[in-house]
């Protein structure tokens, strides 16, 4: 669908997200000829600098993050950028933005709030006060969307006073990944899996987002957030929803979001006993990643020496529905892990009886692995006969590599999501009640940690996290995928 003319306003326009992700994403769509000729990108920042000085910053900071750079295309793209200096919290400075925007009701206005969430309400109020929150405008809210249920509700309430729900785009960049959308296609575009996508045939589901990197320059944010808020409450729960949701009536935004909301409301609530049994919280200590020595979390620059912030969390979740009752969902995320990957593993149940001269225990259960990164694809693990005159079975893979299968250029997550905002397509964005339902499930975990004054379990950098995470899944007679892989 062709885009209509727009002004995209980036609050936090000189910040890290704008420079590393948003501007490179818009450049990629520009050279792909997706953007209207007169569309503009208005970068808002506090620095009192000239247009030329800001473009120099774009040249030195954003340009290095561009993939497949074409100088001619870059020069054309940069002409779209306008810099506006204002204080986002000071309504008296907003006339500068009014002057920069085109006064034309046919132009879509998108306000992207790449700012700390405590500024969301004030920015929206100031936009309304300046007459800029119109019917043809949209607002994008970048995470974190609150620290707990109360703050999430407050954000929804304050932003909702200015913008209708249909104008609010709560972004989760994981939903922009091609593989996540292919999961929808896999489930609802093929008859093969639907009869098996239930408790009678599935043993367990594992969802992992592991990072080799540490905190980097995000210590100020991360130490007040931790892995639960930063990754699990949003990214992992969104992936869980897509895996577990009932077939929606259509791909329309509210049909999909209604189905995801039902999953969140069906998640079994934790009790004091299950909180202690089903959650592992860890923090990395010194170790080696890719053969290089790395410091502990508490020895990272600006880290509090007695920090109790978790850099790893593993959770056993359950969904109380007819389809999923009794099937454990294991969610895991961490920093300074043995490998950097994001994947969903759907493991099917073991065969009930072996007719071969091998015990049933020697068979690897069938599994479907959906890889989100570093390479995107699917693999279906089956048992197959090995070559030779004996009937011996060994695990084999049916592999689908999206890059090999589809030769067309691929969009990065932010490219897809920004296009959807500009088109007015809400399917891949969270609705307000969805956000609150996620926090309702997560908040008892945070409360439990506070009340128990708990300390994260240390784990060595370059490993797969605390041994307690293996024990968590081991109690059910299962293993994390990397532990269960057969040796060559």
């Amino acid at each position: 669908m062709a885009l209509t003319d727009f002004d995209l306003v980036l609050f936090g326009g000189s910040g890290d997200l704008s420079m590393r992700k948003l501007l490179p994403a818009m450049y990629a769509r520009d050279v792909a000829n997706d953007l209207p000729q007169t569309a503009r990108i208005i970068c808002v920042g506090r620095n009192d600098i000239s247009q030329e000085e800001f473009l120099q910053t774009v040249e030195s900071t954003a340009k290095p993050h561009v993939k497949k750079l074409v100088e001619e295309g870059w020069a054309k793209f940069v002409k779209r950028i306008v810099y506006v200096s204002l204080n986002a919290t000071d309504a008296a400075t907003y006339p500068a933005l009014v002057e920069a925007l085109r006064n034309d009701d046919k132009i879509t206005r998108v306000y992207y709030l790449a700012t700390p969430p405590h500024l969301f309400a004030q920015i929206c109020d100031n936009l309304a006060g300046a007459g800029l929150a119109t019917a043809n405008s949209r607002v994008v809210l970048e995470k974190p969307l609150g620290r707990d249920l109360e703050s999430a509700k407050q954000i929804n309430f304050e932003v909702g006073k200015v913008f209708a729900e249909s104008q609010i785009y709560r972004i989760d960049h994981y939903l922009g990944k091609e593989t996540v959308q292919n999961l929808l296609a896999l489930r609802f575009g093929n008859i093969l899996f639907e009869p098996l996508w239930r408790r009678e045939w599935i043993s367990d589901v594992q969802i992992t987002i592991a990072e080799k990197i540490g905190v980097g320059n995000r210590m100020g944010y991360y130490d007040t957030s931790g892995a639960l808020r930063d990754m699990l409450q949003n990214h992992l729960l969104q992936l869980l929803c897509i895996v577990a949701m009932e077939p929606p009536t259509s791909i329309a935004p509210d049909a999909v979001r209604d189905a995801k909301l039902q999953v969140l409301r069906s998640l079994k609530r934790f009790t004091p006993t299950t909180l202690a049994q089903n959650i592992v919280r860890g923090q990395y200590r010194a170790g080696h990643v890719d053969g290089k020595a790395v410091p502990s979390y508490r020895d990272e620059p600006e880290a509090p020496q007695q920090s109790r912030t978790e850099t790893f969390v593993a959770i056993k979740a359950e969904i109380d529905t007819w389809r999923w009752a009794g099937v454990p969902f294991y969610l895991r995320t961490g920093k300074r892990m043995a490998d950097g990957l994001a994947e969903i593993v759907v493991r099917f149940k073991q065969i009930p009886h072996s007719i071969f001269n091998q015990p049933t225990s020697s068979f690897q259960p069938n599994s479907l692995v959906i890889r989100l990164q570093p390479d995107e694809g699917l693999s279906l693990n089956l048992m197959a006969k090995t070559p030779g005159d004996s009937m011996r079975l060994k695990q084999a893979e049916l592999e689908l590599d999206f890059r090999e299968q589809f030769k067309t250029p691929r969009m990065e997550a932010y490219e897809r999501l920004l296009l959807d905002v500009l088109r007015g397509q809400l399917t891949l964005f969270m609705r307000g009640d969805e956000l609150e339902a996620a926090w309702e499930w997560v908040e008892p975990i945070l409360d439990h940690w506070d009340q128990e004054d708990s300390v994260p379990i240390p784990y060595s950098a370059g490993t797969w996290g605390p041994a307690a995470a293996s024990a968590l899944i081991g109690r059910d007679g299962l293993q994390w995928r990397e532990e269960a892989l057969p040796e060559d």
Side-chain angles (χ1 to χ4, degrees):
M1 184 173 69
L3 296 178
T4 57
D5 198 9
F6 64 83
D7 280 345
L8 171 61
V9 182
L10 302 181
F11 283 87
S14 57
D16 184 63
L17 179 66
S18 293
M19 293 295 170
R20 285 191 308 109
K21 296 292 185 181
L22 303 182
L23 290 176
M26 292 304 292
Y27 160 79
R29 300 333 307 158
D30 194 14
V31 296
N33 296 317
D34 285 335
L35 308 188
Q37 282 289 102
T38 54
R40 300 184 310 157
I41 302 166
I42 300 171
C43 296
V44 172
R46 293 176 63 101
N47 294 334
D48 186 13
I49 57 176
S50 68
Q51 171 82 4
E52 291 72 23
E53 290 172 312
F54 181 74
L55 291 182
Q56 289 174 7
T57 300
V58 171
E59 191 77 14
S60 62
T61 310
K63 189 176 179 180
H65 295 286
V66 167
K67 298 178 181 178
K68 299 180 181 178
L69 178 70
V70 178
E71 288 294 344
E72 183 180 352
W74 177 256
K76 172 177 171 283
F77 170 70
V78 168
K79 292 178 181 178
R80 297 183 182 275
I81 299 175
V82 176
Y83 179 70
V84 174
S85 174
L86 64 76
N87 181 347
T89 63
D90 184 358
T93 65
Y94 274 68
L97 181 56
V98 174
E99 185 178 345
L101 290 167
R102 290 173 286 173
N103 187 19
D104 186 344
D105 289 340
K106 296 179 181 178
I107 295 172
T108 300
R109 292 176 180 170
V110 174
Y111 305 109
Y112 196 120
L113 308 192
T115 67
H118 69 269
L119 299 179
F120 290 172
Q122 199 159 11
I123 291 173
C124 290
D125 285 344
N126 289 339
L127 288 171
L132 298 178
T134 59
N136 68 335
S137 58
R138 299 160 194 162
V139 62
V140 183
L141 306 182
E142 182 62 58
K143 77 162 198 169
L145 295 172
R147 286 186 45 80
D148 49 27
L149 178 59
E150 181 180 358
S151 58
K153 285 183 173 180
Q154 188 66 22
I155 288 172
N156 282 342
F157 175 73
E158 296 292 344
V159 176
K161 288 193 301 184
V162 178
F163 294 98
E165 182 63 36
S166 61
Q167 296 176 286
I168 303 172
Y169 293 72
R170 299 170 186 85
I171 200 163
D172 184 332
H173 74 270
Y174 263 80
L175 296 185
K177 291 182 178 293
E178 199 73 43
T179 322
V180 175
Q181 295 159 58
N182 255 307
L183 178 55
L184 289 170
L186 177 81
R187 286 201 57 196
F188 306 123
N190 301 281
I191 197 65
L192 176 64
F193 291 108
E194 177 56 27
L196 306 177
W197 211 258
R198 57 192 66 249
R199 61 188 301 273
E200 290 83 1
W201 305 109
I202 291 178
S203 162
D204 61 282
V205 178
Q206 301 176 19
I207 304 176
T208 296
I209 301 178
E211 299 176 289
K212 287 185 180 181
I213 61 172
V215 179
N217 60 3
R218 300 173 68 221
M219 182 60 73
Y221 157 74
Y222 194 90
D223 196 65
T224 61
S225 174
L228 187 72
R229 291 184 175 98
D230 186 50
M231 297 294 288
L232 193 138
Q233 181 273 333
N234 40 69
H235 301 329
L236 274 84
L237 283 187
Q238 285 294 308
L239 296 177
L240 180 148
C241 286
I242 294 176
V243 171
M245 70 184 189
E246 295 298 320
T249 55
S250 72
I251 201 66
D254 280 336
V256 173
R257 298 192 294 180
D258 284 345
K260 290 196 295 174
L261 177 63
Q262 189 58 47
V263 175
L264 292 168
R265 287 178 172 169
S266 300
L267 282 167
K268 183 180 289 187
R269 271 32 183 179
F270 291 108
T271 66
T273 300
T274 58
L275 277 167
Q277 292 176 342
N278 294 334
I279 300 171
V280 175
R281 182 187 187 206
Q283 185 186 88
Y284 66 82
R285 61 188 179 196
H288 291 79
V289 177
D290 291 335
K292 180 181 177 182
V294 296
S296 70
Y297 176 80
R298 294 182 181 183
D299 289 329
E300 297 277 14
E302 301 181 15
Q305 288 301 298
Q306 301 302 318
S307 174
R308 296 186 176 185
T309 298
E310 77 284 354
T311 62
F312 173 95
V313 63
I315 291 180
K316 176 185 175 181
E318 296 180 77
I319 301 172
D320 280 339
T321 63
W322 274 47
R323 182 185 292 267
W324 295 114
V327 177
F329 285 73
Y330 300 99
L331 313 179
R332 175 178 60 160
T333 186
K335 290 189 175 295
R336 293 292 192 207
M337 303 284 277
D339 199 2
L341 59 87
E343 66 178 23
I344 301 165
V345 182
V346 180
R347 287 198 342 138
F348 295 89
K349 291 188 175 180
Q350 182 61 281
I351 61 170
H353 171 69
S354 172
I355 66 170
F356 305 100
N357 190 27
Q358 292 176 247
T360 303
S361 59
S362 70
F363 286 67
Q364 290 291 326
N366 303 139
S367 61
L368 177 67
V369 181
I370 302 117
R371 298 188 309 275
L372 283 73
Q373 61 187 40
D375 56 332
E376 296 184 319
L378 303 171
S379 61
L380 181 61
N381 298 319
L382 307 168
M383 297 300 293
K385 179 188 176 299
T386 59
D389 62 353
S390 64
M391 183 58 77
R392 297 292 297 174
L393 275 64
K394 185 177 180 181
Q395 182 171 284
E397 288 188 354
L398 296 178
E399 182 79 21
L400 172 59
D401 186 308
F402 291 147
R403 291 188 185 275
E404 289 297 319
Q405 182 70 30
F406 305 106
K407 302 297 184 180
T408 53
R410 307 176 66 74
M411 278 194 270
E412 297 290 331
Y414 274 104
E415 293 176 47
R416 170 63 192 270
L417 294 174
L418 283 166
L419 283 183
D420 277 4
V421 174
L422 296 168
R423 290 175 180 138
Q425 173 56 260
L426 281 156
T427 301
L428 298 178
F429 298 86
M430 285 183 288
R431 204 167 57 195
D433 52 2
E434 200 181 337
L435 171 67
E436 293 179 13
W439 276 116
E440 284 176 4
W441 187 73
V442 165
E443 188 159 74
I445 304 172
L446 296 169
D447 292 343
H448 175 74
W449 288 347
D450 287 342
Q451 292 164 7
E452 295 295 317
D453 199 24
S454 65
V455 178
I457 302 169
Y459 64 95
S460 297
T463 67
W464 284 105
S470 296
L472 168 69
I473 193 169
R475 286 197 297 269
D476 295 329
L478 302 169
Q479 294 175 295
W480 295 105
R481 178 170 179 261
E482 76 280 350
E483 297 172 340
L485 288 174
E487 295 182 6
D488 294 331

